[in-house]
Amino acid sequence: MEKLIITAAITGAETQKTHNPNLPVTAAEQAEAAFACVQAGASIIHIHVRDEQEKPSQNINHFKQAYEAIKAKCDVIVQFSTGGAVGTPIQERLAPLDLKPEMASLNAGSLNFGDEVFENLPKDIEHLAEKMRQLDIKPEIEVYDLGMLEYGLSLVKQGLVAAPAHFQFVLGTRHGLSGDPENLIYMRNKLPENATFAVAGIGRHQLNLAPVAISLGGHVRVGLEDNIYFRKGELAKSNAQLVERVARIATEMERPVASVAETRSILKIRK
Ligand code: KMH
Ligand code: ZN
């Protein structure tokens, strides 16, 4: 089995400091959080950024500030969100890619997301994929439901996403596929041999699904974007606390944690 890649999704678009005061939102806070997560075993930092009012933003300058602040603190793979917040126009979602991060998210379809619709039209997904291909940015195909998995696989078949592809199974969103471990196993079984995958469990599923992914040879995402608690009724003190726990579980399960350099090699990210 490959070593375990831990991604920290440190901020997100929906979580607010009112939900968990330890959420990093400014570039300086994000850099501090990213550094602590890397120390704890994370090799990818998935970022969303905020404007001066702490509202979600896809503005390239906000991304640049966070990106540079994180890079100044540590060597880590910074994965930009191209999902933004629900309702962010596609042109805004595309814009930060001009900074050429090593990775970016690529959402593989539309779904009911809480009480709203997270819209990802095929033409927009293909546009994002094409831009990532041109700029040699490794996409992480985000899958929240089974139809999206089939569509994601078709992007690889068509050559819009280069093989070997990397998939993220986001399980336990309200109205997406649930966090039942069976769903993870089913989707893993649909992947081609050379693909890699990770799981992002939402809420309590963050902890429940981590050992399942670790046993299956998959990778794990944790962080305050997806889950604000350490355990029931107890808010997480930091993103790093969540990373530390999954690294500890992996070590107990004899699955060593990948360094940043090893992650670049496992995911075939550009040098
Ligand atoms: N904020 C969600 C609507 C991504 O980062 O690409 C979408 C999201 C996915 O968080
Ligand atoms: Zn995200």
Side-chain angles (χ1 to χ4, degrees):
M1 244 182 228
E2 284 154 342
K3 288 191 179 177
L4 176 74
I5 298 168
I6 303 176
T7 297
I10 58 174
T11 303
E14 289 75 29
T15 315
Q16 295 168 23
K17 275 193 191 279
T18 50
H19 303 137
N20 184 328
N22 304 314
L23 184 78
V25 293
T26 65
E29 287 171 348
Q30 288 184 306
E32 206 58 59
F35 179 71
C37 287
V38 172
Q39 300 288 103
S43 49
I44 302 176
I45 306 293
H46 169 84
I47 57 166
H48 291 247
V49 299
R50 304 290 174 95
D51 66 14
E52 291 69 23
Q53 280 72 48
E54 300 189 4
K55 294 225 165 62
S57 162
Q58 287 294 117
N59 180 296
I60 192 164
N61 293 322
H62 292 137
F63 263 93
K64 190 164 186 277
Q65 279 170 17
Y67 190 38
E68 287 177 354
I70 293 170
K71 286 292 198 183
K73 271 301 250 182
C74 51
D75 176 33
V76 65
I77 298 157
V78 181
Q79 181 193 89
F80 284 11
S81 169
T82 66
V86 169
T88 310
I90 189 64
Q91 287 311 329
E92 290 180 29
R93 290 169 54 179
L94 279 154
L97 293 180
D98 286 329
L99 296 172
K100 284 188 75 171
E102 287 177 278
M103 285 187 91
S105 62
L106 179 66
N107 292 275
S110 302
L111 87 154
N112 288 335
F113 193 80
D115 296 325
E116 301 173 296
V117 176
F118 179 33
E119 190 177 88
N120 291 286
L121 300 178
K123 67 174 168 58
D124 293 340
I125 300 169
E126 286 161 28
H127 193 162
L128 279 161
E130 180 56 30
K131 186 153 179 174
M132 289 186 211
R133 214 166 53 89
Q134 280 167 7
L135 297 176
D136 206 4
I137 298 167
K138 173 91 180 188
E140 177 178 84
I141 303 174
E142 312 291 326
V143 170
Y144 307 69
D145 224 331
L146 290 179
M148 292 189 201
L149 173 57
E150 295 190 350
Y151 179 73
L153 290 167
S154 81
L155 292 175
V156 184
K157 270 215 182 102
Q158 291 172 67
L160 278 161
V161 169
H166 181 60
F167 289 79
Q168 172 92 272
F169 301 132
V170 186
L171 298 181
T173 62
R174 197 147 61 85
H175 312 307
L177 207 55
S178 80
D180 187 331
E182 230 176 47
N183 291 332
L184 178 56
I185 295 166
Y186 181 87
M187 293 204 287
R188 188 283 306 254
N189 290 343
K190 295 281 176 198
L191 294 180
E193 191 97 337
N194 63 359
T196 48
F197 74 96
V199 69
I202 305 300
R204 67 194 162 85
H205 299 295
Q206 186 164 96
L207 178 59
N208 295 350
L209 289 171
V212 185
I214 295 169
S215 322
L216 293 172
H219 305 284
V220 176
R221 165 168 133 174
V222 293
L224 298 176
E225 170 167 347
D226 303 331
N227 165 44
I228 57 172
Y229 294 102
F230 185 68
R231 57 170 69 90
K232 195 169 182 203
E234 183 182 323
L235 291 175
K237 289 193 182 69
S238 63
N239 281 287
Q241 188 191 25
L242 298 167
V243 174
E244 269 161 23
R245 177 168 59 186
V246 79
R248 206 160 53 234
I249 293 169
T251 306
E252 284 292 319
M253 292 172 73
E254 301 205 24
R255 178 103 188 266
V257 174
S259 67
V260 175
E262 287 164 341
T263 297
R264 287 191 178 107
S265 148
I266 294 167
L267 297 182
K268 317 240 173 338
I269 290 174
R270 70 164 195 265
K271 290 278 174 304

